[in-house]
Amino acid sequence: TIGDAGAEWEITGAYRIGNSGTGLVSLFSGILDANGGINMGVTASGDGTLVVGDGATNPVVEVSGGNTETALFGTGKITVNSGTFNQLDNNIIVGQESTSDATFEVTGGLVDVVNFLRINHGTGLIDISGGIVNVNTTLDIINETGATSGIVNVSGGTLNVATNGAVNTGLFVGNVNESGYVAELNVSGSGIVNVTGTGGNGGLLIGSSGTDSSGSVTLTGGEINVSGTTTEVGEEGNGS
């Protein structure tokens, strides 16, 4: 637990939380510099949890030199309640391997991802009920074969995708040519989703990679705003 506003914890090399056992890191103030990425739930028996802020404090997490992987082969959860989580290079992966069970929860604060936010394999949940999440390039909901479930819920706060406006970036729901997985974007309450990517393969794409790809988007409240780009339902596969 880091609770001193003046504290700074700098880690060179991979920072592992829940390697083969159970690990909990709580950052309520100060700065955590992870200069070799963050790996959570590293093995199948690993269970890692990272809590950032308590809703009132303003801690800072800065990750460089590797991905933030929530989780690798096991179970992992990151909760951002307040403060700032900066992924300065590489990506945030919510569920890296087929056995992973990963959650990334944002109730407040700011999450800034310079490259990709992805649910790759296994089971991944991104739950946004407050705060701001900026994804500079692409949010992929299921990006690799062997996935079970990828779900993004936005019930509050704001999710901004493809903020750099680069060609062929955007929000891709079901981005792998394989059947048997679940890929969902659910927007409700006061949640806001803004997508700004451009180009023929950018924007909001549902079922975007081959005839077996599939995904769904459900809007029961809030907003989905797609600007300067393409919206395709069933771009190559099945979309709803």
Side-chain angles (χ1 to χ4, degrees), residues 26-200:
S26 299
L27 180 69
F28 296 128
S29 290
I31 300 172
L32 171 62
D33 289 320
N35 296 322
I38 296 176
N39 304 127
M40 303 174 64
V42 177
T43 67
S45 62
D47 188 342
T49 301
L50 172 62
V51 179
V52 181
D54 62 3
T57 56
N58 291 293
V60 176
V61 177
E62 296 194 336
V63 185
S64 60
N67 292 327
T68 295
E69 296 177 340
T70 317
L72 189 52
F73 287 92
T75 301
K77 182 176 183 179
I78 293 177
T79 300
V80 179
N81 297 310
S82 57
T84 303
F85 191 110
N86 288 321
Q87 183 72 35
L88 300 175
D89 55 30
N90 293 279
N91 311 303
I92 294 180
I93 309 295
V94 184
Q96 179 66 291
E97 301 295 341
S98 60
T99 57
S100 62
D101 186 351
T103 301
F104 198 104
E105 179 182 45
V106 182
T107 68
L110 171 66
V111 177
D112 198 73
V113 187
V114 73
N115 287 321
F116 291 85
L117 174 58
R118 281 177 164 161
I119 300 174
N120 275 353
H121 290 100
T123 300
L125 171 65
I126 299 170
D127 191 87
I128 302 168
S129 59
I132 299 172
V133 178
N134 295 322
V135 182
N136 199 37
T137 58
T138 292
L139 169 55
D140 275 320
I141 305 175
I142 303 298
N143 187 58
E144 299 286 350
T145 59
T148 302
S149 173
I151 297 175
V152 176
N153 296 325
V154 184
S155 60
T158 302
L159 169 62
N160 298 310
V161 181
T163 55
N164 66 359
V167 172
N168 298 335
T169 61
L171 201 166
F172 303 155
V173 186
N175 192 27
V176 61
N177 189 22
E178 182 182 64
S179 61
Y181 63 83
V182 174
E184 296 180 359
L185 169 65
N186 303 305
V187 182
S188 63
S190 59
I192 299 173
V193 177
N194 299 312
V195 184
T196 320
T198 61

